[in-house]
């Protein structure tokens, strides 16, 4: 098993930047594909970005392409989501997730076995 703890959320003005982090503990971090999802009030949890075990493959939802960057640091067992040019519609609780069973990197919520508690990101207009 792996435990995930997010940090770095907060309040930022539109056009600003924020970086959220997810620290993993437990089983070997490099065993997991990692992803970020988000959930806005009254909406379903949606995929944001994913990164493969090795870090050489990344996926993004179209709405964040060119603005968000997912990365991972194996030495720190941490995955990051750098968010630039933030918009009010990016406001949500951001969740880190780990997939330890799949061979292929996935954007599907049900493929991820472990979840953090979430961190709130609020973008003011």
């Amino acid at each position: 098993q792996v435990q995930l703890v997010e940090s770095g959320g907060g309040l930022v003005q539109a056009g600003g930047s924020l970086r959220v982090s997810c620290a993993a503990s437990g089983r070997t971090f490099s065993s997991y594909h990692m992803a970020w999802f988000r959930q806005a009030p009254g909406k379903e949890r949606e995929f944001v970005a994913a990164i493969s075990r090795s870090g050489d493959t990344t996926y993004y939802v179209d709405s964040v392409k060119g603005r968000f960057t997912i990365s991972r640091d194996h030495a720190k067992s941490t995955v990051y989501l750098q968010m630039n040019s933030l918009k009010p519609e990016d406001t949500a609780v951001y969740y880190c997730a780990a997939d330890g069973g799949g061979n292929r990197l996935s954007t599907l919520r049900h493929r991820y076995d472990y979840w953090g508690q979430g961190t709130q990101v609020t973008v003011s207009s």
Side-chain angles (χ1 to χ4, degrees), residues 13-80:
Q13 288 188 333
S17 298
L18 203 61
R19 187 178 79 164
V20 290
S21 303
C22 173
S25 61
R27 189 180 161 190
T28 306
F29 179 65
S30 59
S31 300
Y32 296 90
H33 295 314
M34 301 296 296
W36 288 95
F37 290 75
R38 66 186 178 187
Q39 188 167 18
K43 295 188 176 181
E44 293 289 318
R45 191 171 300 188
E46 68 168 351
F47 168 78
V48 177
I51 188 166
S52 62
R53 294 183 182 95
S54 65
D56 59 358
T57 301
T58 56
Y59 295 154
Y60 297 92
V61 67
D62 285 347
S63 60
V64 308
K65 284 180 180 176
R67 300 189 298 122
F68 291 11
T69 302
I70 189 171
S71 62
R72 64 191 298 163
D73 184 333
H74 287 278
K76 296 182 179 180
S77 297
T78 300
V79 63
Y80 303 99

Side-chain angles (χ1 to χ4, degrees), residues 74-96:
H74 287 278
K76 296 182 179 180
S77 297
T78 300
V79 63
Y80 303 99
L81 185 68
Q82 176 67 44
M83 302 181 287
N84 299 328
S85 302
L86 282 160
K87 304 175 181 180
E89 51 264 43
D90 294 318
T91 295
V93 177
Y94 282 71
Y95 296 92
C96 174

Side-chain angles (χ1 to χ4, degrees), residues 90-108:
D90 294 318
T91 295
V93 177
Y94 282 71
Y95 296 92
C96 174
D99 171 14
N103 291 321
R104 293 185 176 184
L105 186 60
S106 175
T107 64
L108 301 176

